[in-house]
Amino acid sequence: MATSTPGTSGDTVLIIGAGGQLGLELTHELRQRYGASNVVAADVRAPKDAETHEAGPFELLDVLDKNRLTEVVQQYKPKQVYHLAALLSATAEKNPKFGWQLNMDGLFNVLDAAVDLGVQQVYWPSSIAVFGPDTPRENTPQLTIMNPNTIYGISKLAGEQWCEWYFRKHGLDVRSLRYPGLIGYKSLPGGGTTDYAVDIYHKAVAGQPYECFLKEDTYLPMMYMPDALKATLDLMHAPADSIKIRSSYNLGAMSFSPKEITASIQRHLPEFEVTYKPDSRQQIADSWPASIDDTRARQDWGWQPDFDLDKMTDDMLLHLKQQVAETAAVAR
Ligand code: VAH
């Protein structure tokens, strides 16, 4: 089935969870590419940033409300739906039953609406959280032992299998990536175990010390947001017959520890200090891979990251310092 590129003939794209860390950045990126009026942002609460609200259409949508979801899909007839709404790892551990409900029933509602209402493509993010403590931690393969021990990871692993089932049984073109920890300057993360790697930059730019909730030598796979956006759109634009994995692709860019990101920041801010006070998120981090083998993504649809740790740090600090200066100018 030929799929038209959204935004060309006025085709629309719907982003569910547009207010989240990835959703906000993906909304901005897609609006630049397809035209703001063709990208509908939807979230359970009104967006904090004016751009998402003012630049293009916004709909209040709780993805657990099937009738409201049907209403929005029938109104805009999107060619693509990006379903990003979920509870992340640390939050879901504190609220496991709702975490399961939102991550699973939300996905079912979107998959069913796509099949019933003729949505051409669905994107759904998975995570390295699908791996568990007995998964090989170094260069974790695409196919390996998968015994996640967080509700978030269990829901993402189950979701991957459901996406593959909807592809096999209904022919739905649903695509997915196992994101590593994502780091960006445009939006604050919410409830992730990897979020220390965002918080640390904000503290450094504010001239404050940072107390890290993971041990200094905790290696985790990470990715700068521009690379995550590039991978997502490369995957969604790839020809359908090049997508050989319909559960979810391993995706990697770099791995680092809190000690290494601190040293990277200190290249610019030598006075910056970090202390370590591991909390419950340490156990989650210890159950995840240290590095990812994403050979299949590179082979099937040409994945290639652009950012390493120091290049990300240079860009993050540049933009965060600009944000601080702009905020100060407005305050004057
Ligand atoms: C989390 N940022 O920490 C997410 C991500 C690999 C981690 O899925 O829960």
Side-chain angles (χ1 to χ4, degrees):
M1 174 202 332
T3 55
S4 58
T5 305
T8 48
S9 56
D11 297 329
T12 56
V13 174
L14 171 62
I15 300 177
I16 301 170
Q21 181 198 21
L22 174 62
L24 188 139
E25 300 239 19
L26 195 58
T27 299
H28 295 176
E29 178 71 19
L30 289 174
R31 282 178 169 169
Q32 279 183 341
R33 289 195 185 208
Y34 301 154
S37 60
N38 293 314
V39 180
V40 183
D43 203 293
V44 70
R45 61 183 68 83
K48 299 186 192 78
D49 77 301
E51 186 183 335
T52 301
H53 215 295
E54 291 159 7
F58 175 82
E59 295 291 342
L60 278 175
L61 169 64
D62 176 349
V63 72
L64 294 176
D65 180 344
K66 283 188 83 146
N67 294 332
R68 176 65 181 142
L69 175 60
T70 300
E71 199 176 85
V72 171
V73 175
Q74 285 178 329
Q75 178 182 345
Y76 290 98
K77 297 181 178 49
K79 291 288 183 208
Q80 286 179 328
V81 174
Y82 289 79
H83 171 40
L84 311 177
L87 284 199
L88 295 182
S89 56
T91 309
E93 285 306 289
K94 293 181 195 139
N95 202 340
K97 293 291 174 48
F98 179 62
W100 176 260
Q101 182 194 14
L102 175 61
N103 294 4
M104 297 312 301
D105 291 348
L107 175 60
F108 290 140
N109 289 349
V110 169
L111 293 173
D112 287 337
V115 170
D116 298 345
L117 302 172
V119 173
Q120 281 185 17
Q121 277 186 307
V122 172
Y123 178 75
W124 177 75
S126 184
S127 160
I128 60 159
V130 297
F131 300 111
D134 46 15
T135 301
R137 294 201 73 223
E138 299 299 334
N139 218 20
T140 300
Q142 176 74 43
L143 297 174
T144 183
I145 302 163
M146 322 275 287
N147 287 324
N149 61 4
T150 63
I151 293 304
Y152 175 68
I154 294 166
S155 71
K156 286 299 182 181
L157 182 56
E160 289 185 2
Q161 303 308 308
W162 275 105
C163 286
E164 190 173 38
W165 189 88
Y166 270 77
F167 172 72
R168 277 201 318 271
K169 298 293 185 183
H170 297 287
L172 180 62
D173 185 358
V174 47
R175 304 184 186 189
S176 178
L177 296 171
R178 289 170 180 162
Y179 288 129
L182 300 185
I183 298 156
Y185 58 86
K186 286 185 185 170
S187 55
L188 287 175
T193 300
T194 57
D195 295 346
Y196 87 87
V198 179
D199 302 341
I200 195 167
Y201 285 111
H202 287 268
K203 282 286 191 293
V205 167
Q208 296 166 6
Y210 179 62
E211 184 178 84
C212 183
F213 55 74
L214 297 181
K215 285 186 231 166
E216 66 175 356
D217 59 353
T218 307
Y219 266 85
L220 287 169
M222 298 281 192
M223 181 176 286
Y224 195 29
M225 191 60 80
D227 270 339
L229 297 176
K230 173 184 164 188
T232 306
L233 298 181
D234 284 356
L235 175 79
M236 291 298 276
H237 290 146
D241 58 8
S242 66
I243 307 300
K244 313 290 188 209
I245 293 174
R246 289 290 180 167
S247 48
S248 190
Y249 275 93
N250 274 11
L251 186 74
M254 56 180 143
S255 291
F256 55 77
S257 64
K259 188 175 179 183
E260 290 178 335
I261 191 174
T262 299
S264 182
I265 292 169
Q266 287 168 338
R267 291 180 301 120
H268 295 269
L269 301 164
E271 307 306 312
F272 177 53
E273 285 182 7
V274 176
T275 54
Y276 298 92
K277 192 178 176 187
D279 64 19
S280 60
R281 288 167 284 192
Q282 186 64 50
Q283 286 68 42
I284 297 175
D286 289 343
S287 74
W288 288 351
S291 59
I292 293 289
D293 174 359
D294 59 2
T295 304
R296 290 301 307 274
R298 294 169 191 248
Q299 283 173 347
D300 293 0
W301 44 275
W303 167 238
Q304 184 64 41
D306 293 326
F307 286 85
D308 63 15
L309 175 55
D310 286 345
K311 191 175 173 185
M312 172 176 71
T313 295
D314 299 349
D315 200 63
M316 277 291 282
L317 294 180
L318 175 73
H319 284 96
L320 288 176
K321 285 174 184 171
Q322 281 171 352
Q323 286 178 358
V324 169
E326 285 160 10
T327 306
V330 168
R332 275 199 287 274

